[in-house]
């Protein structure tokens, strides 16, 4: 039985209105930076989905969207080894295109570092990162972030794309977990 998030909520870290206001600011920056161009926006599944759909609503230059999914090698670990496996690749070429990668969170940096290295070999005209959250204290490998919604402390967060055992991604805010109260769903 999956419990409602209130059972283990520590605090609402970024309320919906604050998220949406910042996302509009990021979109305005992108609109300025890419005026007269066209864009390919690549969302890294699954966490980036909520952010992508809200962000692109406020981008007023022509764009296409694509999706990629990656997973780290190693049992149950994040991409701490630096190698990621592409589990869903792009459907189009990025050669000569202006690419923005949209992510929910950058933690160690290994995921996006590997993704950027791979995509650069496909020779886009440019490639930049737009992340909603930057858990900068955890960084192990430097990742150049052009657009960042919020820098956050090293706290366990969920909501707005970020999951707890795959649930709660749909919440419209980012919250922190009281780990003493959280039990993974059984089954
Ligand atoms: C999260 C997040 C990033 C990655 C960041 O994805 O969406 O892709 O971890 O961590 P890193 O900077 O330490 O590499 P996750 O593997 O949890 O998958 P998800 O998006 O499907 O939740």
């Amino acid at each position: 039985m999956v419990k409602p998030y209130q059972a283990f909520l520590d605090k609402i870290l970024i309320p919906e209105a604050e998220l949406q206001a910042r996302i509009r600011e990021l979109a305005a920056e992108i609109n300025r930076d890419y005026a007269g161009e066209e864009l390919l926006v690549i969302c890294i599944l699954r966490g980036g989905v909520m952010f992508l759909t809200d962000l692109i609503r406020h981008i007023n230059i022509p764009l296409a969207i694509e999706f990629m999914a990656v997973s780290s090698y190693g049992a149950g670990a994040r991409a701490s080894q630096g190698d990621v496996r592409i589990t869903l690749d792009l459907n189009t070429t990025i050669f000569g295109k202006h690419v923005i990668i949209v992510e929910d969170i950058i933690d160690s940096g290994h995921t996006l570092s590997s993704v950027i290295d791979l995509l650069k070999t496909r020779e886009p005209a440019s490639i930049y990162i737009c992340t909603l959250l930057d858990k900068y204290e955890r960084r192990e490998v430097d990742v150049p972030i052009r657009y960042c919604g919020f820098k956050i402390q090293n706290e366990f967060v969920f909501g707005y794309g970020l999951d707890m055992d795959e649930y709660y991604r749909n919440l419209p805010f980012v919250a922190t977990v009281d780990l003493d109260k959280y039990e993974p769903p059984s089954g």
Side-chain angles (χ1 to χ4, degrees):
M1 180 78 174
V2 181
K3 293 190 174 157
Y5 72 87
Q6 289 89 345
F8 56 85
L9 175 71
D10 173 40
K11 61 180 180 298
I12 307 280
L13 185 65
I14 313 174
E16 182 174 4
E18 202 179 324
L19 271 178
Q20 295 300 333
R22 182 70 187 123
I23 289 168
R24 281 194 293 276
E25 288 177 357
L26 291 174
E29 274 184 56
I30 292 170
N31 288 335
R32 277 195 301 274
D33 293 346
Y34 292 89
E37 304 285 356
E38 54 191 75
L39 263 180
L40 178 66
V41 181
I42 299 176
C43 175
I44 309 295
L45 297 173
R46 292 184 280 268
V49 164
M50 298 278 282
F51 181 35
L52 172 87
T53 58
D54 283 339
L55 180 72
I56 62 176
R57 267 174 250 244
H58 303 292
I59 296 180
N60 58 22
I61 55 181
L63 66 84
I65 58 174
E66 271 286 337
F67 297 91
M68 272 184 96
V70 297
S71 73
S72 53
Y73 290 111
R78 290 197 149 193
S80 54
Q81 308 308 311
D83 274 319
V84 296
R85 185 162 52 96
I86 306 298
T87 55
L88 176 73
D89 206 343
L90 306 174
N91 267 324
T92 64
T93 177
I94 63 171
F95 180 80
K97 294 181 181 170
H98 292 292
V99 172
I100 294 181
I101 301 178
V102 170
E103 255 291 21
D104 55 344
I105 188 166
I106 301 180
D107 194 327
S108 72
H110 285 296
T111 302
L112 273 193
S113 174
S114 299
V115 167
I116 287 267
D117 285 351
L118 169 73
L119 293 183
K120 278 185 174 168
T121 67
R122 301 180 186 179
E123 300 181 46
S126 66
I127 182 162
Y128 289 102
I129 294 169
C130 177
T131 187
L132 180 69
L133 305 175
D134 177 7
K135 209 188 250 190
Y136 59 95
E137 293 167 326
R138 299 253 308 168
R139 198 73 86 253
E140 292 174 12
V141 50
D142 192 36
V143 183
I145 303 174
R146 188 172 194 185
Y147 307 100
C148 173
F150 302 88
K151 288 181 183 291
I152 63 167
Q153 308 284 308
N154 186 17
E155 295 181 284
F156 210 119
V157 286
F158 72 104
Y160 201 74
L162 296 127
D163 69 307
M164 295 288 289
D165 294 300
E166 295 303 329
Y167 288 89
Y168 314 107
R169 294 187 196 269
N170 57 309
L171 297 173
F173 49 78
V174 175
T176 59
V177 184
D178 182 341
L179 284 170
D180 292 335
K181 294 185 182 158
Y182 180 71
E183 293 167 31
S186 53

